[in-house]
């Protein structure tokens, strides 16, 4: 006999100090991130919001840790973005069923395998065009673009480089800021 599928009630029963996700009927609970993870995510989100919230090309709705309900799966990326032509305003609900155009996962030792091996295929299945994987430990930004049914790597940026990365290539991003080295 197989295991019983986890439900949204299982997510709600988790303690507040963990991030819970449901993927293919399995419950994943991750500890709150370390400060290096939070700094990278916060700085990146702030830089993108300043550049693209309204004034940037096409405008974006960028959100920290949204609860995405994608089919039966519930995922919580570190940052997600929707082009304003697809989502003119952020909805008032706690969760959203519209797949984003871009997601960013900030990797940590406890979530790297989940982000790469479990969540990335869900993002591809849902047609999320761009995925960034940021790793504060190795100081890397990996940029992926949806190519058919899978995400293909476009570039890996490292260290303190200044980079332009899809879909936000009009912004020069200083990687050193993500590692709190500026």
């Amino acid at each position: 006999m197989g295991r019983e599928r986890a439900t949204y009630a299982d997510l709600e029963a988790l303690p507040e100090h963990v991030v819970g996700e449901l993927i293919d009927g399995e419950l994943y609970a991750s500890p709150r991130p370390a400060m290096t993870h939070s700094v990278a995510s916060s700085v990146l989100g702030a830089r993108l919001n300043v550049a693209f919230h309204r004034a940037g090309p096409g405008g974006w709705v960028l959100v920290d840790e949204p609860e995405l309900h994608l089919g039966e799966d519930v995922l919580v990326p570190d940052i997600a973005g929707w082009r304003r032509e697809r989502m003119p305003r952020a909805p008032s609900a706690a969760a959203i069923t519209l797949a984003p155009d871009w997601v960013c996962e900030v990797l940590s030792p406890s979530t790297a395998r989940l982000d790469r091996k479990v969540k990335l295929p869900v993002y591809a299945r849902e047609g999320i065009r761009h995925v960034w994987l940021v790793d504060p430990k190795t100081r890397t930004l990996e940029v992926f673009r949806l190519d058919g049914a899978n995400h293909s790597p476009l570039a890996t940026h490292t260290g303190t480089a200044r980079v332009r990365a899809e879909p936000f290539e009009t912004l020069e991003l200083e990687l050193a800021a993500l590692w709190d080295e500026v």
Side-chain angles (χ1 to χ4, degrees):
M1 291 185 94
R3 278 193 338 225
E4 191 171 316
R5 292 178 68 81
T7 67
Y8 197 77
D10 296 316
L11 272 181
E12 293 177 317
L14 290 172
E16 288 186 24
H17 66 279
V18 299
V19 176
E21 299 176 287
L22 282 174
I23 305 170
D24 196 24
E26 189 166 342
L27 177 65
Y28 294 89
S30 304
R32 296 299 308 164
M35 283 299 290
T36 53
H37 178 287
S38 295
V39 166
S41 181
S42 296
V43 169
L44 179 58
R47 299 271 164 104
L48 293 176
N49 262 305
V50 165
F52 295 97
H53 180 68
R54 286 273 182 212
W60 286 76
V61 175
L62 295 153
V63 180
D64 294 332
E65 297 186 350
E67 184 174 303
L68 305 177
H69 289 226
L70 305 174
E72 293 184 9
D73 297 326
V74 178
L75 290 87
V76 181
D78 291 296
I79 313 170
W82 292 260
R83 293 181 185 275
R84 286 212 179 262
E85 60 261 18
R86 290 188 58 238
M87 187 168 76
R89 294 192 120 63
S92 59
I96 185 163
T97 58
L98 179 64
D101 296 293
W102 168 84
V103 296
C104 177
E105 296 287 0
V106 180
L107 306 179
S108 62
S110 64
T111 65
R113 184 187 178 293
L114 173 65
D115 293 336
R116 286 184 184 283
K117 302 295 182 192
V118 180
K119 293 172 79 171
L120 201 56
V122 175
Y123 293 149
R125 179 194 78 205
E126 295 298 320
I128 298 171
R129 184 130 172 89
H130 292 92
V131 175
W132 289 8
L133 299 178
V134 173
D135 189 337
K137 185 176 182 179
T138 61
R139 298 168 58 223
T140 58
L141 163 63
E142 296 173 78
V143 179
F144 296 85
R145 181 192 312 140
L146 189 61
D147 183 16
N150 298 299
H151 285 99
S152 296
L154 289 181
T156 299
H157 304 286
T158 61
T160 59
R162 292 178 174 269
V163 303
R164 295 181 184 274
E166 286 186 21
F168 303 109
E169 62 271 12
T170 59
L171 172 70
E172 184 176 74
L173 182 63
E174 186 177 9
L175 292 184
L178 304 184
W179 327 135
D180 201 23
E181 295 180 4
V182 191

